[in-house]
Amino acid sequence: GAVVSQHPSRVICKSGTSVKIECRSLDFQATTMFWYRQFPKKSLMLMATSNEGSKATYEQGVEKDKFLINHASLTLSTLTVTSAHPEDSSFYICSASRLSIPFSNTQYFGPGTRLTVL
Amino acid sequence: AQSVTQLDSQVPVFEEAPVELRCNYSSSVSVYLFWYVQYPNQGLQLLLKYLSGSTLVESINGFEAEFNKSQTSFHLRKPSVHISDTAEYFCAVSNSGGSNYKLTFGKGTLLTVNP
């Protein structure tokens, strides 16, 4: 159990366009989902935390109007990179934590999405 | 604020040798501790975690880690590594209280197992 999927796994887009990345918990309900960005040879940087049915909480320095997060259900969160620029190229990873205690303290990660902006 | 320090950015070892990946943390509150493994171009997989109870935790593939509160450490060990253990390993910490278990990651240690 505790499988998280992301779609797409890779995406290439033109500068100025928007890209949507989906994160799904396949076999459990996730109250909270997290979005991370990983630069080459760097650790993961938390971008935002989203709870189902409420607005996402963004980390300092992350533009909420550029990185739109929607957590529409207990199994789906989406990240939309709006007006993408080449510097937005990165590996984006989501994670989800289970609804039920005691599992709510562990994050389960998706396989990641490689975004390349030309 | 919390922080995680992984002292070694790269650890090369030969197959069947023992390995230790070091992790130290800083926190003013009680914590949960995690080790995640990342294979190339993939997401993170949970390797093992310490939440409470026994300070020695084990994974199904032979790794173990010991929580040492006095030294604020959570080092990862394996007595005999395989080529397939080559990957990036991340240590992470979260608060043990509250309802939002945000993770703070270390910078990662690249374990390379050579034949």
Side-chain angles (χ1 to χ4, degrees):
Chain A
V3 179
V4 177
S5 70
Q6 277 183 245
H7 178 79
S9 58
R10 290 178 178 269
V11 58
I12 300 173
C13 69
K14 292 183 178 180
S15 186
T17 61
S18 294
V19 174
K20 179 185 284 188
I21 303 170
E22 291 187 349
C23 176
R24 292 181 185 273
S25 56
L26 298 184
D27 54 359
F28 66 100
Q29 292 183 319
T31 41
T32 305
M33 288 186 170
F34 302 83
W35 286 96
Y36 295 84
R37 183 172 178 177
Q38 187 178 33
F39 296 94
K41 300 191 183 299
K42 296 285 187 182
S43 187
L44 281 75
M45 181 194 79
L46 178 64
M47 299 174 66
T49 303
S50 74
N51 292 292
E52 185 264 339
S54 61
K55 289 184 178 180
T57 302
Y58 289 81
E59 295 298 302
Q60 193 172 10
V62 178
E63 299 176 60
K64 60 180 67 177
D65 293 330
K66 180 167 185 62
F67 299 100
L68 301 179
I69 292 172
N70 182 276
H71 194 158
S73 74
L74 285 172
T75 59
L76 173 65
S77 177
T78 59
L79 167 68
T80 301
V81 182
T82 62
S83 187
H85 290 282
E87 55 265 31
D88 298 326
S89 298
S90 193
F91 195 52
Y92 292 88
I93 306 176
C94 73
S95 71
S97 58
R98 289 188 179 190
L99 177 64
S100 60
I101 296 171
F103 303 105
S104 57
N105 48 37
T106 301
Q107 291 183 31
Y108 298 92
F109 285 79
T113 297
R114 174 75 59 192
L115 170 63
T116 303
V117 184
L118 303 177
Chain B
Q2 297 171 326
S3 66
V4 177
T5 302
Q6 291 182 247
L7 293 168
D8 306 301
S9 60
Q10 297 186 50
V11 173
V13 296
F14 288 108
E15 194 174 16
E16 298 184 4
V19 71
E20 178 181 82
L21 306 183
R22 295 180 292 172
C23 172
N24 289 89
Y25 70 93
S26 171
S27 177
S28 58
V29 298
S30 297
V31 297
Y32 294 141
L33 293 155
F34 305 83
W35 275 100
Y36 285 89
V37 58
Q38 185 180 32
Y39 298 99
N41 296 310
Q42 295 186 26
L44 275 68
Q45 298 174 29
L46 179 64
L47 192 59
L48 46 75
K49 61 184 177 182
Y50 169 78
L51 304 179
S52 64
S54 173
T55 57
L56 182 66
V57 291
E58 300 176 348
S59 72
I60 58 173
N61 56 355
F63 283 95
E64 65 178 31
E66 185 161 19
F67 170 52
N68 188 318
K69 189 174 182 179
S70 62
Q71 297 186 5
T72 60
S73 68
F74 192 55
H75 301 330
L76 181 69
R77 303 184 182 93
K78 188 170 185 180
S80 176
V81 294
H82 300 288
I83 299 269
S84 59
D85 292 324
T86 295
E88 189 90 31
Y89 291 79
F90 291 96
C91 181
V93 62
S94 72
N95 286 349
S96 61
S99 60
N100 188 348
Y101 298 101
K102 288 168 56 173
L103 286 172
T104 300
F105 283 90
K107 292 187 176 180
T109 297
L110 176 62
L111 173 64
T112 304
V113 182
N114 298 300

PDB file of all heavy atoms in Angstrom, chain B residues 57 69 93:
ATOM      1  N   VAL B  57      16.074   0.690  14.185  1.00  0.00           N
ATOM      2  CA  VAL B  57      15.042   0.339  13.208  1.00  0.00           C
ATOM      3  C   VAL B  57      15.698  -0.294  11.999  1.00  0.00           C
ATOM      4  O   VAL B  57      16.832   0.027  11.652  1.00  0.00           O
ATOM      5  CB  VAL B  57      14.215   1.569  12.788  1.00  0.00           C
ATOM      6  CG1 VAL B  57      13.354   2.044  13.935  1.00  0.00           C
ATOM      7  CG2 VAL B  57      15.108   2.705  12.318  1.00  0.00           C
ATOM      8  N   LYS B  69      19.648   9.958  20.738  1.00  0.00           N
ATOM      9  CA  LYS B  69      19.142  11.272  21.124  1.00  0.00           C
ATOM     10  C   LYS B  69      20.243  12.167  21.671  1.00  0.00           C
ATOM     11  O   LYS B  69      20.288  13.367  21.383  1.00  0.00           O
ATOM     12  CB  LYS B  69      18.037  11.122  22.172  1.00  0.00           C
ATOM     13  CG  LYS B  69      17.297  12.411  22.488  1.00  0.00           C
ATOM     14  CD  LYS B  69      16.134  12.167  23.422  1.00  0.00           C
ATOM     15  CE  LYS B  69      15.385  13.462  23.688  1.00  0.00           C
ATOM     16  NZ  LYS B  69      14.224  13.243  24.596  1.00  0.00           N
ATOM     17  N   VAL B  93      13.811  14.850   8.821  1.00  0.00           N
ATOM     18  CA  VAL B  93      13.261  14.971  10.159  1.00  0.00           C
ATOM     19  C   VAL B  93      11.941  15.734  10.109  1.00  0.00           C
ATOM     20  O   VAL B  93      11.761  16.606   9.253  1.00  0.00           O
ATOM     21  CB  VAL B  93      14.267  15.675  11.097  1.00  0.00           C
ATOM     22  CG1 VAL B  93      14.553  17.093  10.610  1.00  0.00           C
ATOM     23  CG2 VAL B  93      13.788  15.706  12.524  1.00  0.00           C
TER      24      VAL B  93
END
